[in-house]
Amino acid sequence: MSVPQPPEPLPGARLLFSLDPAVNHLNHGSFGAVPIVVQRAQQRLRDEMEANPLRFFTQGLTDRIAHTRRHLATFLGADPDGTALVGNTTTGVAVVLQSLGLGPGDEVLSTDHGYGAVSLAIGRECRRTGAESRVLPVPLAATDEEVIQSIRAALRPGRTRLLVVDQLTSATARLFPVAAIVGVAHERGVPVLVDAAHVPGMLPTSVASVGADFWVGNLHKWAYAPRGTAVLVVAAQWRERIEPLVVSWEQESGFPARLEWQATLDYTSWLAAPAGLFTLRSLGVDRVRAHNAALAAYAQRVVGDALAVAPAHLPDPGGPEVAMRIIPLPRGLATTVEQGRALQQRIAERLAAEVAVMSWNGRGWLRLCGQVYNAPEEYERLAVRLPPLLAQR
């Protein structure tokens, strides 16, 4: 089977970022990269804030936040009135968990593809309330129908108070059929929280059509927003039950203001987020998505071939527009989170390449991303240099 051809580069795209040219940045999915024009937009907002803090925080800031919220919600196909700006996906998850009113006899169901910090948040809330956290194993190669059937069989109406499912998983770069999963859960009266941390910007989506009770996603990964920008979208029947993690002056204003207003928070990342969408649109949203997905597919095959992984054993992400791919590492490597972090650091130091090394189900996985600032030769270079490094156990 031939290696897929890399996409044509987007002219000038690399120059939009201030990334260190001495490093191959192949892990956009972890912290993203903020375009220079967005950095400057945020700095202008910070300059405005520091020139007159009292005026910045007391004259029209809530209106500016609401305008930003409407802009971002419209891009995502979400109801602006049901959308709140939050710092990141895990913050949104924590807000939902503590707003549910869990207690003994209740359970939160998730899958073993869930993000580590989200799993920790579920565990903490269950310990605090006496509820149970139950994790459903889902095979990596499961079909969409098998995923749906597994979740259907695992739901326990009357006891399962929340199903948490990823739209695009972090550890395994797998796209789940969340709209169908939501439908199955709702048939049994179970509300659903969709962790869509990687979706905004990467994948075309209509949050409203997903139909989840709660949907949370970051815009600082694939939508070029400054870090600390995410949205929590809440269905109408839940909005009055949503409480902030910290009470502030907008508490009596209801959702979403009570969630967004946190006094002296630096709101400039949120206010600059539309500049990120402007950059994405300027490059061409569909063009960027197609480029990034094709580049990630090329990276998976090139590095997979170098590690002697047969094409049939390279996991399918479940959709053609996924810009993250994983490759199994030789057995015995990165079998724990700590070992994965150590190997990731070693690759960064010795190969000048930033990658993600994940540990999932006792196996180490290399996760590579495609972004407009990347070039095929970066992955080709990694493919040449990585096998000798991994052999040095």
Side-chain angles (χ1 to χ4, degrees), residues 46 50 63 90 100 127 134 170 174 177 190 207 212 214 218 275 295 302 319 325 327 346 363 383:
R46 283 177 170 157
E50 297 306 333
D63 290 338
T90 48
L100 287 176
R127 288 192 301 273
R134 191 159 59 95
S170 177
R174 172 67 196 272
V190 176
V207 176
F214 315 100
N218 294 321
L295 193 57
V302 167
R325 298 288 183 110
I327 303 152
R346 190 152 63 99
R363 182 78 186 266

Side-chain angles (χ1 to χ4, degrees), residues 188 211 234 351 381:
R188 285 154 177 74
V234 179
L351 305 186
R381 190 157 48 242

Side-chain angles (χ1 to χ4, degrees), residues 19 83 87 93 114 119 154 159 166 178-179 193 216 227 229 246 257 266 280 284 295 297 303 330 333 356 371 388:
L19 295 165
T83 301
V93 169
S119 299
R159 182 167 184 183
D166 296 66
V178 288
L193 165 60
V216 59
R227 290 172 198 88
T229 306
V246 178
D266 184 352
L280 183 59
L295 193 57
V303 178
L333 283 179
Q371 188 48 263

Side-chain angles (χ1 to χ4, degrees), residues 22-172:
V23 177
N24 293 334
H25 302 272
L26 312 179
N27 183 23
H28 185 87
S30 283
F31 296 102
V34 183
I36 295 170
V37 65
V38 182
Q39 296 178 37
R40 291 175 177 169
Q42 184 178 16
Q43 188 57 52
R44 287 193 295 271
L45 288 161
R46 283 177 170 157
D47 291 343
E48 177 191 348
M49 177 174 62
E50 297 306 333
N52 192 330
L54 187 64
R55 182 172 61 194
F56 181 87
F57 282 99
T58 62
Q59 296 185 22
L61 180 56
T62 55
D63 290 338
R64 294 170 78 175
I65 294 171
H67 176 75
T68 298
R69 180 202 314 135
R70 287 192 295 271
H71 188 100
L72 302 181
T74 300
F75 174 75
L76 295 170
D79 178 3
D81 293 334
T83 301
L85 292 163
V86 293
N88 52 36
T89 294
T90 48
T91 298
V93 169
V95 166
V96 172
L97 288 171
Q98 63 93 38
S99 298
L100 287 176
L102 296 172
D106 296 333
E107 72 169 18
V108 176
L109 178 66
S110 58
T111 79
D112 60 351
H113 294 253
Y115 185 59
V118 171
S119 299
L120 291 171
I122 294 171
R124 186 186 71 167
E125 188 65 16
C126 287
R127 288 192 301 273
R128 188 180 72 83
T129 61
E132 176 189 356
S133 171
R134 191 159 59 95
V135 179
L136 173 67
V138 176
L140 185 59
T143 65
D144 283 357
E145 185 58 32
E146 288 170 342
V147 173
I148 294 166
Q149 293 302 331
S150 293
I151 290 174
R152 175 183 279 118
L155 293 170
R156 298 193 284 198
R159 182 167 184 183
T160 306
R161 290 286 308 282
L162 183 69
L163 168 64
V164 180
V165 64
D166 296 66
Q167 188 162 350
L168 177 60
T169 67
S170 177
T172 56

